[in-house]
Amino acid sequence: MTYFKNTELIPEDPILCIPPLFAADQRPNKVNLGVGAYRDAEGHPLVLTSVQKAEVRLLEQNLNNEYLPMDGDPGFIEESLKLAMGEDSPHRSRVYASQTVGGSGALKIAGDFLKEQFPNSTLYLSHPSWSNHRHIFSRCGFELGHYPYSHNHTLDFEEMCDAIKMMKNGDLILFHACCHNPTGIDPTFDQWKIISTLVKEKGLFPIFDMAYQGFSGGLDQDAAVIRHFADEGHEMALTISHSKNFGLYGERIGLLAFFVDSADTVKKLASQIKSTVRGIYSSPPAHGARIVKTILQSPELTLEWKEELVNMRDRIIEMRKALVAELYSTKSSIDFSFIQNQRGLFSMTGLNREQVSLLRAEHGIYMPSNGRMNIAGVTSKNVKTVAEAFNEVL
Ligand code: LMR
């Protein structure tokens, strides 16, 4: 007898199913190109030295472990917002922000709240998008639509704009602020300007997911679209993850910000978001917020962190080049030069589901079945193996 006889077994998460499979693989030359987490030149997880130093400072302060407010640590919120909006943003008084449980937590809180505000609207995602976008927003009850995004490894700008023109007033549209996951392709700033105008003309509500600030052109450049939309007067939501740019994956540290029309609306939103948080997890965890705040409030640690961020970005760019060069030298039948032009952790290799499973079975190379690869998993030691394996399965 079970109460769960009608409970169905559902497929595993396409990305988070990979780490245990990879860990169980006994082959010494296995390569993990799966979950989007940075790896150092040896292929290992990286703990930033700025983070280590911040943790020492925190330990020395002998802090207590009281609950944070429902919307988190105010010092962290200010610092994280400054990274996104720039110092002294003229928009600060029309922004409400809450610390969240990672970027996923920000999306979930935003989704639950927005579904109440826009009960009959469609929420549009790029096609493709991060698989968890669909998962989170459909669980919030949204009807989802998709807009074309990439074709032949480049941005499908015309088609994307045409699709936006077909959306209804009051629909919602999610954009990736930089380092689009999974394609690694972003609109140029001029294209963002056109998108902003279209979004305004159509009366859409934009949501920006920014999980990779600093991994494309730099901290300011990667947030330029947010600042532009703010300057253009949009009301919008912004979800931020500090998993990648601070290497704080397991600390679950993120931010949700709403840009609205006035300080009066900010107050109402604050009450709503706090109530949403209270109904799910009451208040966020403290440690990740304290680390980020400690770094960003210290000029010396901020400088060190920025250098570490540049190093992570540069290593990925270097590995993009190395992989393309290796693919050329192993006489790939496919032009992989696009990998070099893309930014952030990911590129869509174009490998199909069967080729991905062959890579795993024959070569111990792991990536999600849609063929997305985490470039940070490539090192100068494994790049040749990866290129040869790609060629073999093709
Ligand atoms: C990814 O896309 O691999 C990361 O954002 C990790 C995740 O939660 O999916």
Side-chain angles (χ1 to χ4, degrees):
M1 154 66 190
T2 171
Y3 288 109
F4 305 106
K5 67 178 186 307
N6 295 325
T7 305
E8 288 173 16
L9 187 70
I10 57 170
E12 287 211 78
D13 183 85
I15 298 171
L16 295 187
C17 69
I18 295 174
L21 296 173
F22 183 76
D25 191 325
Q26 297 302 315
R27 287 171 284 186
N29 295 331
K30 62 185 178 176
V31 180
N32 192 353
L33 308 178
V35 176
Y38 182 77
R39 293 290 176 259
D40 69 12
E42 300 301 314
H44 299 137
L46 178 67
V47 181
L48 302 184
T49 58
S50 52
V51 166
Q52 285 169 333
K53 289 180 187 171
E55 290 197 294
V56 170
R57 290 189 188 184
L58 288 171
L59 204 60
E60 284 165 0
Q61 288 170 43
N62 204 14
L63 297 166
N64 65 42
N65 289 321
E66 292 295 288
Y67 294 124
L68 288 185
M70 288 173 278
D71 49 4
D73 181 323
F76 159 76
I77 291 168
E78 286 314 311
E79 295 302 332
S80 177
L81 269 182
K82 272 192 256 166
L83 272 189
M85 298 169 62
E87 299 274 339
D88 305 320
S89 166
H91 305 289
R92 180 64 190 91
S93 61
R94 69 176 189 97
V95 174
Y96 168 70
S98 169
Q99 178 190 332
T100 54
V101 183
S104 297
L107 290 160
K108 170 65 180 162
I109 299 296
D112 276 354
F113 169 66
L114 289 169
K115 180 61 191 167
E116 285 170 10
Q117 306 297 311
F118 298 81
N120 302 314
S121 300
T122 301
L123 192 156
Y124 286 90
L125 302 173
S126 61
H127 178 70
S129 197
W130 180 43
S131 51
N132 211 26
H133 282 147
R134 162 173 276 281
H135 189 59
I136 290 173
F137 288 118
S138 59
R139 289 178 75 98
C140 294
F142 271 108
E143 184 185 319
L144 297 178
H146 293 92
Y147 59 90
Y149 193 75
S150 66
H151 183 67
N152 282 338
H153 306 288
T154 54
L155 186 72
D156 208 350
F157 186 64
E158 297 297 319
E159 295 259 323
M160 175 181 176
C161 290
D162 288 347
I164 294 175
K165 288 177 194 155
M166 302 298 289
M167 294 173 193
K168 293 193 313 294
N169 184 284
D171 281 340
L172 302 95
I173 182 163
L174 185 135
F175 299 111
H176 303 223
C178 59
C179 304
H180 182 271
N181 179 1
T183 65
I185 305 165
D186 295 318
T188 62
F189 189 61
D190 284 339
Q191 287 170 329
W192 277 127
K193 286 185 182 163
I194 295 169
I195 294 168
S196 167
T197 305
L198 280 179
V199 166
K200 201 182 262 183
E201 276 168 14
K202 294 301 299 183
L204 308 176
F205 185 85
I207 304 168
F208 281 94
D209 189 9
M210 182 158 70
Y212 299 90
Q213 188 185 3
F215 279 89
S216 180
L219 286 164
D220 289 327
Q221 189 179 320
D222 294 357
V225 59
I226 309 295
R227 298 174 194 179
H228 177 70
F229 269 61
D231 289 343
E232 289 296 292
H234 287 274
E235 289 199 307
M236 61 182 172
L238 167 65
T239 60
I240 293 177
S241 166
H242 290 302
S243 296
K244 333 278 170 172
N245 54 13
F246 284 83
L248 289 172
Y249 306 91
E251 294 295 347
R252 313 308 299 132
I253 178 65
L255 188 93
L256 167 63
F258 277 96
F259 292 65
V260 290
D261 66 331
S262 66
D264 188 42
T265 312
V266 162
K267 266 194 214 145
K268 294 182 195 155
L269 253 87
S271 70
Q272 291 280 344
I273 298 299
K274 284 193 268 193
S275 163
T276 308
V277 166
R278 180 66 166 146
I280 303 180
Y281 54 79
S282 282
S283 65
H287 192 61
R290 285 175 176 166
I291 295 172
V292 173
K293 179 176 72 172
T294 303
I295 293 174
L296 295 178
Q297 287 179 344
S298 152
E300 173 203 336
L301 290 183
T302 299
L303 194 67
E304 185 163 344
W305 166 68
K306 285 183 178 171
E307 280 168 9
E308 294 186 286
L309 184 55
V310 168
N311 290 343
M312 289 195 277
R313 181 182 74 213
D314 287 353
R315 198 188 82 74
I316 295 171
I317 293 173
E318 210 181 292
M319 286 305 110
R320 287 182 177 277
K321 285 190 194 138
L323 179 61
V324 172
E326 207 57 66
L327 283 159
Y328 275 130
S329 77
T330 49
K331 309 241 175 322
S332 165
S333 54
I334 299 197
D335 178 8
F336 277 106
S337 58
F338 61 88
I339 290 180
Q340 207 165 308
N341 308 327
Q342 297 169 352
R343 283 297 170 266
L345 265 61
F346 308 115
S347 278
M348 290 294 281
T349 56
L351 297 178
N352 63 31
R353 184 177 279 271
E354 275 166 22
Q355 291 162 337
V356 168
S357 55
L358 263 181
L359 269 186
R360 189 178 297 185
E362 308 282 327
H363 303 277
I365 297 176
Y366 287 70
M367 63 171 80
S369 57
N370 65 357
R372 184 196 79 170
M373 76 180 290
N374 173 16
I375 309 284
V378 179
T379 65
S380 44
K381 287 196 191 122
N382 68 24
V383 64
K384 196 169 167 53
T385 316
V386 171
E388 283 172 357
F390 276 22
N391 281 334
E392 213 172 299
V393 300
L394 282 161

